[in-house]
Amino acid sequence: MRLNIGCGGKRIEGYTGVDAVERPGADIVAKADAIPLPDGSVNEIMAIHLFEHFYRWECDGVLDEWHRLLRPGGRLIMEMPDLMKTCKNVVDGIMKGGKEPDQLTLWSLYGDPRQRDVFMSHHWAWTPTSIKAILKEHGFIKVAEEPTIYHPAGREHRDMRIVCERA
């Protein structure tokens, strides 16, 4: 089994969609820290632009749940805004004549306001160093950064992709 947690309206072939509320892509409606599946029953978890939507104090419980769900050697794939790239975008914009931060920068920090959906708000920001550290604290190994695949507009200038395994 492969899960796409925080799937929203997107269905990805080969993945079971999980979302906190009823959405077109959700096969399972459950919070990310309480998914009703057996221990070790999942081969892969994908969380694309999801982890920044949790308050920092929620992240430990979410990672514990994902660790519980994954079989040993199971993969966790995460993509999210990279705070360091975001800060660079803000500084570069200011240094280039006081240009206001653009959508890629502001949405990286706060989320997409167009949908007027509280689930689309961002509550924490991560750097490659900080996300790798918390993953290791929660029993994930082989934590590595890879080129992003999703959200083409932010691929080079905003986002990061972290892939790891459950020990």
Side-chain angles (χ1 to χ4, degrees), residues 22-145:
E22 191 73 42
R23 298 200 193 262
D27 301 299
I28 299 171
V29 176
K31 293 175 67 178
D33 63 352
I35 298 171
L37 293 171
D39 295 0
S41 62
V42 176
N43 295 320
E44 183 175 287
I45 291 174
M46 187 165 58
I48 305 303
H49 284 270
L50 172 66
F51 207 63
E52 66 274 16
H53 294 265
F54 300 114
Y55 289 106
R56 175 58 187 89
W57 62 81
E58 296 174 300
C59 293
D60 295 309
V62 170
L63 289 176
D64 288 343
E65 175 69 352
W66 295 354
H67 190 274
R68 178 192 73 77
L69 290 169
L70 285 168
R71 65 167 176 74
R75 286 176 18 121
L76 172 61
I77 301 165
M78 305 169 79
E79 288 191 16
M80 68 192 78
D82 176 340
L83 180 59
M84 296 304 289
K85 288 179 183 176
T86 299
C87 290
K88 183 180 183 320
N89 290 339
V90 170
V91 170
D92 286 353
I94 292 169
M95 298 304 288
K96 293 176 183 172
K99 178 182 145 196
E100 284 292 315
D102 63 3
Q103 167 189 331
L104 285 176
T105 303
L106 292 176
W107 288 14
S108 172
L109 293 170
Y110 302 111
D112 179 352
R114 298 175 302 172
Q115 298 177 34
R116 297 181 181 203
D117 182 345
V118 296
F119 286 101
M120 296 307 292
S121 296
H122 292 184
H123 298 294
W124 199 255
W126 298 92
T127 67
T129 301
S130 65
I131 193 68
K132 288 175 186 178
I134 192 173
L135 288 166
K136 289 175 183 176
E137 288 172 17
H138 287 273
F140 291 94
I141 59 171
K142 299 180 183 177
V143 182
E145 193 170 359

